[in-house]
Amino acid sequence: MSRVRGETLVWEGPHPTARPCSSRRPQELRRLPGRTGRAQPSGDKSLRGNSLPELSLGPRNHVQAGTLPKPALWAEPDSLITWGSPATIWCQGTLDAQEYHLQKEGRSVERLTPLKPGNKAKFYIPSMTEHYAGRYYCYYHSLAGWSEPSDTLELVVTAPYGKPTLSGLPSPVVMSGGNVTLQCGAETKFGKFILTQEGKQKLYWMEDSHQNSYGESQALFPVGPVTPSRRWMFRCYGYYRNTPQVWVGPSDPLELLIQGVSRKPSLLTLQGPVLAPGQTLTLQCRSDVGYDRFALSQEGGHFLPQRPGRQPQAGLSQAKFPLGPVSSSHGGRYRCYGGRKLSSLWSAPSDPLDILITGQLPHRPSLLVQPGPTVASGQDVMLLCQLQSPMDTFLLTKEGAANSPLRLRSKSRAGQFQAEFSISPVTSAHGGTYRCYGSLSTSPYLLSLPSDPLELVVSGAADTISPSQNKTVSWGNTHESSPHPQDYTVENLVRMGMAGLILVALGILLFQDWHSQRRHQEAARR
């Protein structure tokens, strides 16, 4: 059974069973009439009518439970208290109460002095620890005798160290009416996880912990159908089975975004898509639609921060998302969304942006160039990235290029894993510094150490090659590029054959003209 004090969940009696968010509705909570800031579950089966037959007031002092109205018991600021924070437990009875007693399971009674006008007393906790966590009840004494005990209040302490993470699978972005699975997980082997939904009435679900293939503990909570009628903000906690009143958390908040159909914004990085650990990363989401706020999502639903939209000039809106210093967890595919404050619907997603983190694999490929680092404009150039250790993919970057790296699948040749990046024909725009990296398909956003830089120098006259003649592998999105340079052998043979035919035709015409002139000369002599 549960009880809510203010906006926070408190357990009453045994812990509730798991309540999947989609298959069954969570326990609905309602406000107590006439009592601001306190609530209890509908159909409450608390300790009414289950008075303890005897209450221990001390080593030698025993009294029978009375029949006076039971007092109310609650905690402030709520019953979920952060470790080290102060808290106050209140017991409220009748105006003629002469003394109050607070009982904690496993401990003796605390005798409390009533405050004027006498209808309540308080127990102050200067610094919350697991020592104060547990189940409490209180009662009071007046000239008419002893009251019944209050409903049970379970005081929970939250410890921020080792807090779990909350993510949405496959993504925290959901179409209206859709479903999503929330995953609460941690490296620590918790016994249970609790998911809470923020709002006027805080709702909860509890699930047993299960270990994944990496030995981490996690629990899955199906949620849906999701509608835009309200915000869907969640947090989660974990606790060990032997300390059910010590919750670790909460996780960072996760809000589900309900995707609409308004125009998508654009997402770009101010530092480039390839970063080393420790570098600062800032992503910018912007649009020519006047959005009030922007949200950023990472594939896999790891986090979803929001930022208010700024309007640097009329008709434009933007927001910056500082994410650095970066680590391996920042590698991934990102999208952003635009929204308005008065609506829970968000725009269509931006085009994806891949962020790649280097130095995550203990290998360094080598980068070679053929025919050499200095070439004439119009030549064909081959950049060869290779490594002896197995690699699934190789990536080529050009210093100063804002676009995503070129990506080619690795091929094994003569004991080497390699990829060939062709530039054909080369132009002055291709001059610059190049590096290559390797990656594995199991973690495509985590790269090896970079190769040594290679400087490509393009010499010769100004380029006169038309765009249609440029056969260079394009610097677009990080999809697989053409794995081999284009073969011009057949094309050259066709050109040579055409030239030969033209020469033969010209020869025939010249011969016919010469033969015609000779006939005219012979006729004139006669």
Side-chain angles (χ1 to χ4, degrees), residues 9 61 69 143 223 254 262 318 338 389 409 414 453 468 497 500 511 519:
L9 171 68
N61 188 4
L143 294 177
V223 177
L254 175 69
S262 58
Q318 66 179 36
S389 301
R409 289 183 181 178
S468 62
F511 176 78
R519 288 176 60 187

Side-chain angles (χ1 to χ4, degrees), residues 275-277 357-363 437-438 446-450:
L275 297 100
I357 309 300
T358 68
Q360 304 305 300
L361 301 176
H363 307 289
Y437 306 81
L446 304 182
L447 307 183
S448 69
L449 295 167

